Amino acid sequence: MEHFKDSILKLVIETSSNLPPDVRRAIERAITLETPGTQAALALQAIAENVDMACDTAAPICQDTGMPTFEIKTPVGANQITMKKQVKEAIAEATKLGKLRPNSVDILTNKNTGDNLGEGTPVMHFDQWENEDIEVRLLLKGGGCENKNIQYSIPCTLDNLGRADRTLDGVRKCILHAVYQAQGHGCSIGALGVSIGGDRTSGYSLAKQQLFRSLDDINPNPKLAQLESYILETANKLGIGTMGFGGKSTLIGCKIGVANRLPASYFVSVAYDCWAFRRLGVVLDSKSGKIKRWLYKDDTPAVKMAKTHGLPATGREVQLTTPISDEQIRSLRVGDVVLLNGLIHTGRDALHHHLMTHDAPVDLRGSVIYHCGPVVLKEGNKWRMNAAGPTTSSREEPYQADIIKKFGIRAVIGKGGMGARTLAALSEFGAVYLNAIGGAAQFYTKCITEVEGVDLLEFGTPEAMWHIRVKEFPAIVTMDSHGNSLHADIEKASAKELAKFAESVEF
Ligand code: SF4
């Protein structure tokens, strides 16, 4: 098995940088559905270009390379202990190469291990099978979509849909609710892995396993096949759209598995994956460990997804350069496209928590905080960003209003939007929320002209405060300083749409 580790490294790099053909086809279908010029169409254009850029340079599609989850099937007698060790070595090497972001954080000390290894990471499930070869499947699923996973214990009552009973109709309501509650936070257009039954633990596990199915397959159980296609069609009528900007595409797939339940329990577990649905596999020769063939794809080079380069300019884009004035901010309205220039600063959960009780290491007046946990490489004395898209902003809701007030911040860039307290602070202190396209890590990396420095590196690479100079960094104003929030509007409108599907459906 001298080639096993190299084969796993190839699998990790390819999964991180190249979307499988079934996901590409689904995104392409979504692109054709959206009206050109809409915010959803702009977002999909950025996504398509990002997919091409990542593939061309073998760089991460999204900076959040997720929790590596391996499903491995081995012939009887194969040495799983050696395989585990070599999978870990391959993961550490991929991290060092900047193909994976260091994502493993000690739960008690909050220290990032720096190499993606630690208690419970990576996730590896082994199974034996009556086959000579080894099969390895890998899913890289990031935190933004992982946080939108949800589990229902039915019977229950759901907002806008009413009671969900222990029937397939009750299951239907839970799955639609799962799409609604995710809004754009999990970087829609999303895909669902669903399990009906099991216990709380096995339910979530089976739900995630469904994400290993191809988006194009058809469930062999006709009732489940019917439910899967109903969910796909109906979810796309909710008007949530790409990134929660509204539009005709919200979901690209729904895959449902079942397991027996205890008489007292009836769980519906939903694993939500984002458009950056990174899932590939390989079949390996069990003697040498060499790759015999790929799963989900063949050897044909991927076809480019973007039809044009860059976002189509309308001439109405607003150029903003830091430090930004109150007057400039007050002139912006929801829907404006902004091209940002100058020095901005990354900041996520650890930084926001820190700033509540400490001074900022740099002057932030008139400045911009970018919710981003980048993949960064050190080259000599210089740092280079290898992937730097936005992270989910709602996690900073408990802090953001106070941070805006305390430091005089004029703009927050992130994805998925923020809540009522932040919206009020934007009005009171003159700031805006700029929505960047979640997962478009390569698309945004090309707007970073220089990494000028870093503070608080002890928080780990993703959580440190990076000072970066950007040029024409595009983002959409989705919350302005006049009390308007696109996210609140879409949530309200999609709740109304959801309520139209409260009536029972028979499967
Ligand atoms: S595309 Fe969005 S949800 Fe998916 S991993 Fe990236 S940031 Fe997270």
Side-chain angles (χ1 to χ4, degrees):
M1 287 270 283
E2 54 173 319
H3 297 283
F4 182 78
K5 187 192 131 189
D6 277 354
S7 298
I8 299 297
L9 182 60
K10 273 187 196 140
L11 171 65
V12 173
I13 294 174
E14 189 70 3
T15 309
S16 177
S17 58
N18 193 0
L19 279 187
D22 59 324
V23 178
R24 285 166 170 268
R25 280 193 295 274
I27 296 175
E28 270 160 3
R29 275 195 297 275
I31 291 173
T32 58
L33 285 178
E34 295 300 349
T35 313
T38 56
Q39 286 147 355
L42 282 182
L44 285 165
Q45 163 68 20
I47 286 171
E49 196 164 344
N50 184 73
V51 170
D52 291 343
M53 291 168 79
C55 186
D56 288 348
T57 55
I61 295 166
C62 173
Q63 76 288 338
D64 186 353
T65 53
M67 173 69 88
T69 302
F70 291 90
E71 297 285 335
I72 304 174
K73 290 195 177 119
T74 61
V76 177
N79 188 337
Q80 297 182 358
I81 295 171
T82 308
M83 278 186 242
K84 269 188 194 165
K85 194 169 153 268
Q86 295 194 0
V87 167
K88 286 183 181 174
E89 285 169 11
I91 286 287
E93 193 163 335
T95 312
K96 211 162 154 196
L97 292 169
K99 309 296 181 184
L100 294 178
R101 186 177 74 181
N103 258 0
S104 179
V105 179
D106 185 300
I107 199 70
L108 297 178
T109 63
N110 281 328
K111 288 261 179 285
N112 194 314
T113 63
D115 57 4
N116 267 311
L117 303 180
E119 204 56 56
T121 12
V123 174
M124 287 181 260
H125 299 136
F126 283 87
D127 246 333
Q128 283 191 342
W129 66 350
E130 290 180 356
N131 193 316
E132 284 301 298
D133 296 324
I134 297 170
E135 184 190 276
V136 187
R137 292 177 194 247
L138 171 63
L139 180 71
L140 297 175
K141 183 174 183 295
C145 54
E146 186 68 14
N147 288 347
K148 296 326 288 182
N149 292 358
I150 190 164
Q151 192 170 59
Y152 301 87
S153 173
I154 51 181
C156 60
T157 304
L158 300 166
D159 287 349
N160 308 299
L161 289 167
R163 202 182 65 240
D165 296 312
R166 290 181 165 188
T167 60
L168 279 188
D169 182 59
V171 172
R172 169 192 77 88
K173 287 185 178 178
C174 292
I175 305 175
L176 285 180
H177 186 269
V179 177
Y180 164 74
Q181 62 87 38
Q183 291 289 306
H185 299 293
C187 290
S188 49
I189 37 183
L192 305 182
V194 179
S195 107
I196 315 172
D199 60 19
R200 284 208 185 267
T201 324
S202 63
Y204 262 137
S205 172
L206 181 61
K208 201 169 247 186
Q209 274 169 29
Q210 300 309 302
L211 296 172
F212 284 99
R213 284 172 52 192
S214 164
L215 290 178
D216 300 328
D217 76 3
I218 293 177
N219 200 309
N221 180 313
K223 278 186 188 236
L224 296 180
Q226 198 193 342
L227 182 56
E228 286 176 357
S229 90
Y230 168 92
I231 294 290
L232 189 55
E233 196 185 320
T234 311
N236 285 329
K237 291 177 184 161
L238 297 181
I240 296 167
T242 307
M243 291 297 131
F245 288 166
K248 297 179 185 128
S249 290
T250 298
L251 213 60
I252 52 174
C254 175
K255 301 289 160 189
I256 305 173
V258 289
N260 284 8
R261 63 181 175 88
L262 292 165
S265 313
Y266 197 123
F267 295 114
V268 179
S269 313
V270 182
Y272 188 102
D273 211 337
C274 52
W275 68 261
F277 187 175
R278 291 151 290 175
R279 173 253 290 134
L280 281 175
V282 280
V283 174
L284 306 176
D285 180 276
S286 61
K287 299 258 170 340
S288 65
K290 267 194 176 165
I291 296 176
K292 287 173 88 172
R293 63 186 169 87
W294 286 84
L295 300 171
Y296 306 106
K297 72 177 197 105
D298 53 28
D299 285 332
T300 5
V303 178
K304 292 253 181 267
M305 285 189 68
K307 302 286 172 264
T308 54
H309 283 299
L311 296 186
T314 60
R316 293 191 305 275
E317 292 79 17
V318 183
Q319 293 275 354
L320 276 185
T321 302
T322 59
I324 307 167
S325 68
D326 181 69
E327 195 188 354
Q328 285 172 304
I329 289 298
R330 301 278 179 198
S331 70
L332 295 172
R333 290 281 192 284
V334 161
D336 286 345
V337 175
V338 160
L339 299 173
L340 195 62
N341 304 285
L343 191 62
I344 67 171
H345 314 274
T346 68
R348 296 175 27 127
D349 314 51
L351 180 82
H352 281 75
H353 182 258
H354 175 85
L355 290 182
M356 295 292 282
T357 49
H358 295 79
D359 277 343
V362 291
D363 184 4
L364 291 174
R365 262 167 306 161
S367 190
V368 176
I369 285 280
Y370 181 20
H371 295 162
C372 167
V375 179
V376 193
L377 289 169
K378 192 153 197 190
E379 295 171 343
N381 286 333
K382 290 231 155 213
W383 293 98
R384 180 171 65 82
M385 299 248 157
N386 201 28
T391 191
T392 311
S393 297
S394 55
R395 292 196 310 272
E396 315 318 336
E397 182 63 13
Y399 313 110
Q400 201 67 73
D402 297 319
I403 301 291
I404 289 170
K405 179 182 176 188
K406 184 172 171 185
F407 296 101
I409 286 158
R410 289 281 177 219
V412 173
I413 312 173
K415 56 117 173 156
M418 303 195 73
R421 210 166 155 250
T422 300
L423 187 61
L426 299 180
S427 292
E428 191 176 348
F429 306 111
V432 283
Y433 178 80
L434 301 172
N435 206 120
I437 312 307
Q442 295 309 314
F443 182 81
Y444 287 111
T445 304
K446 80 165 194 260
C447 305
I448 299 171
T449 55
E450 200 183 346
V451 181
E452 291 208 351
V454 58
D455 279 296
L456 303 166
L457 197 52
E458 62 271 27
F459 292 165
T461 316
E463 300 282 346
M465 187 182 204
W466 296 93
H467 312 299
I468 54 178
R469 201 157 279 281
V470 296
K471 185 160 184 256
E472 302 211 325
F473 182 110
I476 299 170
V477 180
T478 53
M479 295 166 70
D480 64 24
S481 61
H482 308 281
N484 305 306
S485 165
L486 176 72
H487 309 284
D489 292 350
I490 296 285
E491 193 169 336
K492 216 161 135 197
S494 57
K496 228 166 143 187
E497 291 306 310
L498 186 66
K500 292 181 182 165
F501 302 102
E503 247 174 59
S504 303
V505 176
E506 239 183 70
F507 292 95

